[in-house]
């Protein structure tokens, strides 16, 4: 059984790598957003508590999030292990996660941090755009259409950008990551389970590095 935490700022490639890990190791990615939505949709008492918090626009209390995770990891699809994405974000949450797992006779195998160069990440994210018709992805610098202004896939001349992919928004999200999540890195480093991967490398190379660390 493999139990992993995937850390890194927005745009570091956590989602892409989590999907590859799911396929390679038969484990499931557990994102906080997905778990919260599923809990609310279930109509359970815990889900109702979560809904009340969300409807009020408040931050989700650690005890509710921990209970949701505790219930989720008991599901059959987590039998081979799971990857947590978006939790923990604070030292208190990291300690609560350890206690939760210990109570189930489990423990984290690795905490994988995707290291990034912030300015390069700003350029990577803020340059993204997509075809408005078929959704094909492009980048101003790294992957422009072969014919400027024309989609390689469907020939459309209409493109779109995500509203939150501006350089200013990306910098704000990186600052929030530094302030909120980065402080838990020493906690896991002291436990000897934190490993670092070059998140700026090619996608396949990042995958290779992660698998080497997990299989070593």
């Amino acid at each position: 059984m493999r139990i992993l935490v995937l850390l890194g700022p927005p745009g570091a490639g956590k989602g892409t790598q989590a999907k590859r890990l799911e396929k390679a190791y038969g484990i499931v990615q557990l994102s906080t957003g997905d778990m919260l939505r599923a809990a609310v949709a279930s109509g359970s008492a815990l889900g109702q508590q979560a809904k009340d918090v969300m409807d009020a626009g408040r931050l989700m209390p650690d005890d509710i999030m921990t209970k949701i995770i505790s219930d989720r990891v008991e599901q059959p699809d987590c039998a081979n292990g799971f990857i947590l994405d978006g939790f923990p974000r604070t030292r208190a949450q990291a300690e609560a996660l350890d206690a939760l797992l210990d109570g189930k006779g489990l423990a984290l195998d690795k905490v994988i941090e995707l290291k990034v160069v912030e300015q390069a990440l700003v350029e990577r994210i803020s340059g993204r755009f997509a075809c408005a018709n078929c959704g094909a992805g492009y980048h101003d610098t790294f992957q422009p259409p072969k014919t400027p202004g024309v989609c390689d896939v469907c020939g459309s001349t209409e493109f779109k950008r995500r509203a939150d992919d501006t350089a200013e928004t990306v910098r704000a999200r990186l600052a929030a990551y530094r302030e909120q999540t980065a402080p838990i890195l020493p906690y896991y480093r002291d436990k000897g389970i934190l490993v670092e991967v070059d998140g700026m490398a090619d996608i396949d190379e990042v995958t290779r590095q992660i698998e080497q660390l997990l299989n070593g």
Side-chain angles (χ1 to χ4, degrees):
M1 187 176 197
R2 292 183 184 272
I3 303 176
L4 311 171
V5 167
L6 207 50
L7 296 177
K14 297 190 299 298
T16 297
Q17 296 303 325
K19 293 301 180 190
R20 292 186 171 202
L21 289 168
E22 281 187 313
K23 186 174 181 179
Y25 296 100
I27 56 181
V28 62
Q29 178 189 11
L30 303 180
S31 75
T32 52
D34 290 345
M35 285 187 285
L36 284 169
R37 285 187 287 272
V40 170
S42 74
S44 67
L46 184 59
Q48 186 58 52
Q49 283 183 277
K51 184 177 186 301
D52 292 342
V53 172
M54 293 163 72
D55 288 348
R58 304 195 310 269
L59 288 174
M60 192 63 58
D62 288 353
D63 62 331
I64 293 179
M65 196 66 236
T66 303
K67 288 175 185 173
I68 288 173
I69 293 172
S70 180
D71 289 349
R72 180 65 183 86
V73 301
E74 294 288 346
Q75 298 303 308
D77 62 346
C78 291
N80 290 331
F82 48 89
I83 310 162
L84 285 166
D85 177 6
F87 189 96
R89 293 182 183 274
T90 65
R91 172 73 177 248
Q93 290 179 354
E95 292 173 347
L97 176 62
D98 281 346
L100 180 163
L101 293 174
D102 186 60
K104 298 177 184 295
L106 305 173
L108 283 174
D109 292 303
K110 298 287 184 185
V111 175
I112 303 166
E113 183 197 10
L114 299 181
K115 299 282 287 184
V116 300
V117 177
E118 290 200 2
Q119 183 53 39
L121 193 62
V122 170
E123 293 172 2
R124 176 196 283 183
I125 297 175
S126 61
R128 298 188 301 198
F129 63 100
C131 173
N133 181 54
C134 72
Y138 298 97
H139 191 280
D140 292 327
T141 304
F142 309 122
Q143 192 180 358
K146 293 184 177 66
T147 301
V150 181
C151 176
D152 298 345
V153 178
C154 72
S156 173
T157 56
E158 297 294 325
F159 296 89
K160 61 183 179 181
R161 295 177 188 267
R162 282 177 48 171
D164 59 350
D165 275 356
T166 65
E168 295 76 16
T169 302
V170 175
R171 289 193 181 96
R173 287 153 61 193
L174 288 169
Y177 172 76
R178 281 199 309 273
E179 294 168 10
Q180 298 168 12
T181 305
I184 71 174
L185 298 176
Y187 174 77
Y188 286 125
R189 188 174 290 114
D190 290 344
K191 293 171 73 71
I193 59 173
L194 178 68
V195 294
E196 299 176 349
V197 171
D198 179 11
M200 301 308 298
D202 175 84
I203 291 173
D204 289 340
E205 171 60 17
V206 175
T207 302
R208 189 197 67 77
Q209 291 181 42
I210 292 174
E211 290 185 345
Q212 184 177 42
L213 288 166
L214 295 181
N215 298 333

